[in-house]
């Protein structure tokens, strides 16, 4: 069974706080890990695609790390802003079917001004 | 450049009726995917087209669902007859040919409510 677990399920922080979420995935047959940012009624927006163990990617105040051996990825947001409020979704694909994304439930982030 | 567009954005139908969802991928993207998110659950893969061919339809729930991509451009997903459990948000995504790690670009989804 291929499961993707995300924690926490939801998070409330104050503007300016830094925060991080976790995505756990099966480490065997790993191919790629995707992070998306999703606001309801809008298109999920791709943040990062990572494939290599130890990969670190950064986009503005958001960064992500990847550990394929132990099967986890962290997403960090530095100095959260109200506009960061959204659901952050991770999805992984395995080498057996590397285009089919398997998703976690997401972490819902609310940033209070 | 236009992104992935989906139509309609919202559809409310009664159990037993038929609904057809449409997806226009980004121009030039050979790969097209359908996903579904049922409220409170994770997004689930439905199927994957490469041009007009179904590459993987392992996620299609049952034979009430029919996806087509004639000519390898836009795609339709028809649900006939719709059941209550078909309610959810249906997402379409597209990606370039080549590496499987290419980003999948998503549309805003069609929210289907079956009453």
């Amino acid at each position: 069974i291929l499961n993707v677990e995300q924690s926490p399920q939801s998070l409330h922080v104050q503007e300016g706080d830094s925060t991080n979420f976790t995505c756990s995935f099966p480490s065997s047959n790993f191919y790629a890990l995707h992070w998306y940012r999703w606001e309801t009624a809008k298109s999920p927006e791709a943040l990062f695609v990572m494939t290599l163990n130890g990969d670190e990617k950064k986009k503005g105040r958001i960064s992500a790390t990847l550990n394929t051996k132990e099967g986890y990825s962290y997403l960090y947001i530095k100095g959260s802003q109200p506009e960061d409020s959204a659901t952050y979704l991770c999805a992984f694909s395995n080498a057996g079917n590397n285009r089919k994304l398997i998703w976690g439930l997401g972490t819902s982030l609310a940033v209070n001004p | 450049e236009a992104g992935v567009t989906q139509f309609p954005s919202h559809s409310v139908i009664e159990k037993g009726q038929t609904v057809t969802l449409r997806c226009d991928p980004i121009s030039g993207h050979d790969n097209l995917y359908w996903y579904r998110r049922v409220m409170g659950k994770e997004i689930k893969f439905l199927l994957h087209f490469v041009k007009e061919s179904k590459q993987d339809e392992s996620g299609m729930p049952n034979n009430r669902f029919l996806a087509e991509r004639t000519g390898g451009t836009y795609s339709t997903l028809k649900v006939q007859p719709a059941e209550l459990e078909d309610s959810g948000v249906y997402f379409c995504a597209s990606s370039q040919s080549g590496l499987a790690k290419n980003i999948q670009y998503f549309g805003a989804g069609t929210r289907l409510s079956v009453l």
Side-chain angles (χ1 to χ4, degrees):
Chain A
I1 296 176
L2 300 174
N3 272 340
V4 176
E5 305 284 341
Q6 290 190 246
S7 64
Q9 190 174 348
S10 66
L11 197 53
H12 292 254
V13 301
Q14 288 297 125
E15 183 175 353
D17 288 349
S18 293
T19 187
N20 65 84
F21 330 129
T22 306
C23 173
S24 302
F25 53 86
S27 55
S28 60
N29 265 345
F30 173 85
Y31 183 78
L33 193 284
H34 300 241
W35 278 102
Y36 283 84
R37 177 183 181 280
W38 180 45
E39 293 181 65
T40 306
K42 294 187 178 180
S43 305
E45 174 198 353
L47 293 173
F48 307 112
V49 180
M50 296 187 287
T51 57
L52 300 175
N53 185 44
D55 231 356
E56 289 189 30
K57 295 214 171 178
K58 189 175 180 184
K59 186 177 181 179
R61 293 178 292 99
I62 305 177
S63 60
T65 61
L66 179 67
N67 183 322
T68 61
K69 294 188 186 307
E70 295 180 45
Y72 65 84
S73 174
Y74 292 135
L75 187 79
Y76 300 90
I77 302 179
K78 185 178 176 182
S80 302
Q81 299 296 309
E83 59 264 30
D84 296 329
S85 298
T87 297
Y88 290 82
L89 297 160
C90 80
F92 110 109
S93 58
N94 67 23
N97 184 342
N98 51 27
R99 292 194 184 271
K100 173 181 174 179
L101 295 183
I102 299 163
W103 298 80
L105 271 170
T107 292
S108 175
L109 173 67
V111 182
N112 301 317
Chain B
E1 182 184 338
V4 177
T5 56
Q6 292 187 245
F7 182 83
S9 57
H10 195 177
S11 179
V12 181
I13 60 172
E14 292 188 351
K15 176 182 169 179
Q17 289 186 320
T18 297
V19 63
T20 300
L21 315 181
R22 173 171 169 144
C23 169
D24 286 76
I26 293 173
S27 177
H29 281 191
D30 288 340
N31 294 288
L32 187 149
Y33 313 83
W34 283 98
Y35 293 89
R36 178 174 73 174
R37 184 177 185 263
V38 172
M39 191 165 63
K41 299 201 171 179
E42 66 276 15
I43 296 172
K44 292 257 193 197
F45 169 86
L46 296 179
L47 89 160
H48 167 214
F49 283 101
V50 177
K51 297 184 180 177
E52 67 274 11
S53 299
K54 290 176 187 174
Q55 191 76 10
D56 179 358
E57 52 184 330
S58 61
M60 293 288 264
N62 51 60
N63 59 9
R64 295 186 293 103
F65 289 75
L66 175 64
E68 293 180 321
R69 193 182 181 197
T70 307
T73 54
Y74 71 91
S75 175
T76 57
L77 179 65
K78 182 161 77 172
V79 185
Q80 179 183 30
E83 298 289 342
L84 299 178
E85 65 264 25
D86 300 333
S87 296
V89 180
Y90 289 78
F91 289 106
C92 174
S94 71
S95 69
Q96 293 176 323
S97 57
L99 293 175
K101 65 179 180 181
N102 286 341
I103 291 171
Q104 294 186 21
Y105 295 90
F106 278 74
T110 293
R111 183 174 296 276
L112 176 64
S113 301
V114 183
L115 307 178

